[in-house]
Amino acid sequence: MTRTRFERLEIGGSESAGFRISGKLGFHENEKIEQLVQECLKREFTRVVFDFSELTSLGGGVARILRGFGSDLKRKGGEVIFVVTSSVVLDFLQEEGTDIRICSSMEEAVPDGAAAHTESTGEAGTGSAEESAEESAEESVKESAKES
């Protein structure tokens, strides 16, 4: 069985968040994905990038949660971008009448080149609001990854 991995990505600015999710996203991860999108809404990110380039399958329930999140963020003036390289994942993610942004690479999704992997150091931040929001979102992802 392929293990699902969640990784926080730095994509520039405190208003943005990025996540690389690899493996398989099925109904077992519905709750984790729901927690992740709720945390993003709570932190008021205006741009969220999901890198699914290493994702091999996507369940319908997870896809529905992600499409709903995209619609919610768009209504608030933000955007959700999906990096998808698998036609199987793309088929589940896209639905007629749903306006979502799909890119084929991180370079296309984040053209300013700001995407980078965030290493988990375990060190405390300096306490700024920006670091606090990023740490909280990262903690959500780490917690989700532990439960996988």
Side-chain angles (χ1 to χ4, degrees), residues 3-6 32 120 138-148:
R3 184 177 170 92
T4 303
R5 289 190 333 251
F6 293 78
K32 294 172 195 166
S120 178
E138 188 170 344
E139 285 302 315
S140 247
V141 172
K142 285 179 189 176
E143 198 59 37
S144 293
K146 286 179 188 175
E147 295 171 9
S148 296

Side-chain angles (χ1 to χ4, degrees), residues 80-126:
V80 177
I81 305 166
F82 298 95
V83 176
V84 180
T85 57
S86 163
S87 61
V88 172
V89 172
L90 186 60
D91 287 346
F92 274 91
L93 191 57
Q94 288 183 317
E95 185 176 78
E96 192 172 324
T98 304
D99 182 26
I100 57 175
R101 183 168 166 209
I102 305 288
C103 296
S104 58
S105 69
M106 282 300 289
E107 291 76 23
E108 181 184 352
V110 187
D112 56 6
H117 169 66
T118 299
E119 292 295 329
S120 178
T121 62
E123 298 172 358
T126 61

Side-chain angles (χ1 to χ4, degrees), residues 29-135:
E29 288 78 33
N30 281 6
E31 186 176 323
K32 294 172 195 166
I33 294 298
E34 185 64 47
Q35 289 172 349
L36 179 61
V37 300
Q38 289 305 316
E39 186 67 26
C40 288
L41 290 169
K42 177 181 169 187
R43 297 292 169 194
E44 299 182 344
F45 292 129
T46 57
R47 179 173 66 160
V48 179
V49 178
F50 288 101
D51 180 357
F52 289 166
S53 61
E54 297 177 19
L55 198 64
T56 57
S57 67
L58 178 68
V62 173
R64 190 171 28 262
I65 293 167
L66 292 169
R67 285 191 303 264
F69 173 55
S71 295
D72 290 347
L73 205 57
K74 193 171 192 169
R75 275 194 298 277
K76 295 178 180 203
E79 71 174 333
V80 177
I81 305 166
F82 298 95
V83 176
V84 180
T85 57
S86 163
S87 61
V88 172
V89 172
L90 186 60
D91 287 346
F92 274 91
L93 191 57
Q94 288 183 317
E95 185 176 78
E96 192 172 324
T98 304
D99 182 26
I100 57 175
R101 183 168 166 209
I102 305 288
C103 296
S104 58
S105 69
M106 282 300 289
E107 291 76 23
E108 181 184 352
V110 187
D112 56 6
H117 169 66
T118 299
E119 292 295 329
S120 178
T121 62
E123 298 172 358
T126 61
S128 74
E130 177 179 322
E131 287 176 342
S132 176
E134 288 178 3
E135 288 169 6

